[in-house]
Amino acid sequence: MSATFVGMPAFPKAAREALGNAQLRANLAHATGTIRAKRAAVVAEVEDWEELRLAGAAIKDATLLRLDEHLLRLEAALQARGARVHWARDAAEACAVVAEVARAHGVDEVVKVKSMATQEIGLNEALAAEGIAAWETDLAELIVQLGDDLPSHILVPAIHRNRTEIRDIFARAMAAAGRPAPEDLTDDPARLAEAARLHLREKFLRARVAVSGANFAVADTGTLVVVESEGNGRMCLTLPEVLVSVVGIEKVVPTWSDLEVFLQLLPRSSTGERMNPYTSTWTGVTPGDGPQEVHVVLLDNGRTRALADEVGRQALRCIRCSACLNVCPVYERTGGHAYGSVYPGPIGAILNPLLHGVGHDAQTDSLPYASTLCGACFEVCPVRIDIPEVLVHLRSQVVDAHRGGLPRPEAVAMRGAAWAFARPRRWALLERAGGLVGRMAHRLGVRRLPWPASAWTRARDLPPVPRRPFRSWWRREGSRT
């Protein structure tokens, strides 16, 4: 995949461009609406759903508070079962480990099961620079890769594409990547799935090295867990000789009993299903069964930075279900590309600034403002991440990071307001002056404010000014009511 999020504009500009795409809005509205309805139906079946949410949040918080201990237990359990553990402080170190394993086995291609962590670190691009092709095997990721596109959703990366667009991508690009699409391919979902299955099957059968992520890592036993809907991931996890799993350090859970809670929360919140069609678990190396060489890369890449933030660390509870995206009115209209990151939507608006820090990049600094603060994301989050709280917290960090130098127009306006509100007499004089100017503007037919306040009236008319200020009215009329 040659596309990259690097250099994406700040959210306001990217969102404005996305809003002009009527087909994108239609695709998103249909897809997110369908997922929302399915989720609501299966969640309503669970009488103790709120208790499950509370349990999930409590397990995650307790684990994060002792993360160092749980990670060391996980490392010991993995090594005891024949896996090789690598610690990666950042994206460059993680990519270097995967590339070194591939080079050691003399391969020029690897197959991948869908992994947000590998997208986060830009693994495909790093391997391509080493002459190694990384083939996505998740159907939606395959669509994105063949279309030289970018993922726009955590769960459904190709949510911005409709069936006709997918058929055109397959017909145009499959031949250059392997087995071509059938000449008579239609946009029937079954035919599209069949074309993808035939195209991927030859890659599975010849691949010697596979790369995966993990939804969870059980510290007690060193077991990694991947949940999926298609079974392609299981082909990656069982057929190749070598398996490299890149796992964020926040994915660890202490025990199998803890895992039980999340296997109830995740499928209902993500795909609106009672359970995932495929839940794959593997523990190190099993002689004669599956990959005989297993590597696990434990990835930091800003997670300890997020962990140090007492308000923001709750974002590390995230189990990547995408429920917050499907209810977000902003995401539904702009799609994921506008966020300029592998992690879009409400969770991306907090996770990216937490991982990367604020004050360095305009695109990252714009994300905490990509929200109405309506709170719908918190209501559906299966681990109760208070995303609005973190958004407000990060907005204050962005403001603090840009203090100094020439004040911004917003800061000038706030200082002016503070000066006006500081003295009752001062405010009364400004109130009378403002009323006089407003009435004159209304008589002259002025409906828009002059620059720099013109943005406020770009989409609304200037309301008429009352005949008397409130204070004047209260002095004359208030005592009678």
Side-chain angles (χ1 to χ4, degrees), residues 154-195:
I154 289 176
L155 180 69
V156 194
I159 196 172
H160 56 291
R161 298 292 193 182
N162 60 33
R163 292 185 299 173
T164 301
E165 291 173 310
I166 294 169
R167 180 203 61 197
D168 294 343
I169 289 171
F170 281 5
R172 180 180 68 250
M174 267 189 172
R179 179 169 179 149
E183 293 184 2
D184 59 347
L185 183 64
T186 69
D187 64 1
D188 176 67
R191 293 295 308 280
L192 293 172
E194 179 186 24

Side-chain angles (χ1 to χ4, degrees), residues 241-260:
E241 304 165 9
V242 181
L243 174 62
V244 185
S245 299
V246 181
V247 184
I249 56 175
E250 84 282 13
K251 296 298 182 69
V252 64
V253 295
T255 68
W256 279 82
S257 296
D258 299 322
L259 179 64
E260 176 189 356

Side-chain angles (χ1 to χ4, degrees), residues 411-451:
V412 173
M414 290 298 103
R415 289 176 185 175
W419 178 85
F421 288 141
R423 296 286 186 274
R425 186 183 299 274
R426 188 182 298 165
W427 173 247
L429 289 171
L430 289 172
E431 189 178 47
R432 283 196 288 270
L436 177 62
V437 172
R439 285 191 293 275
M440 291 178 59
H442 193 70
R443 288 174 185 172
L444 295 172
V446 176
R447 295 292 183 268
R448 296 188 64 182
L449 292 170
W451 186 89

Side-chain angles (χ1 to χ4, degrees), residues 116-131:
M116 300 297 293
T118 59
Q119 292 172 356
E120 173 192 331
I121 63 176
L123 179 63
N124 288 14
E125 293 79 10
L127 291 179
E130 299 282 344

Side-chain angles (χ1 to χ4, degrees), residues 41 85 88 270 296 305 318 343 392 429 461 478:
V85 178
S270 57
V296 178
R305 177 203 297 271
C318 179
Y343 303 112
V392 173
L429 289 171
D461 287 338

Side-chain angles (χ1 to χ4, degrees), residues 129-149:
E130 299 282 344
I132 302 166
W135 300 114
E136 301 289 352
T137 62
D138 173 84
L139 176 56
E141 290 285 358
L142 174 67
I143 295 165
V144 169
Q145 184 175 41
L146 291 178
D148 195 24
D149 202 351

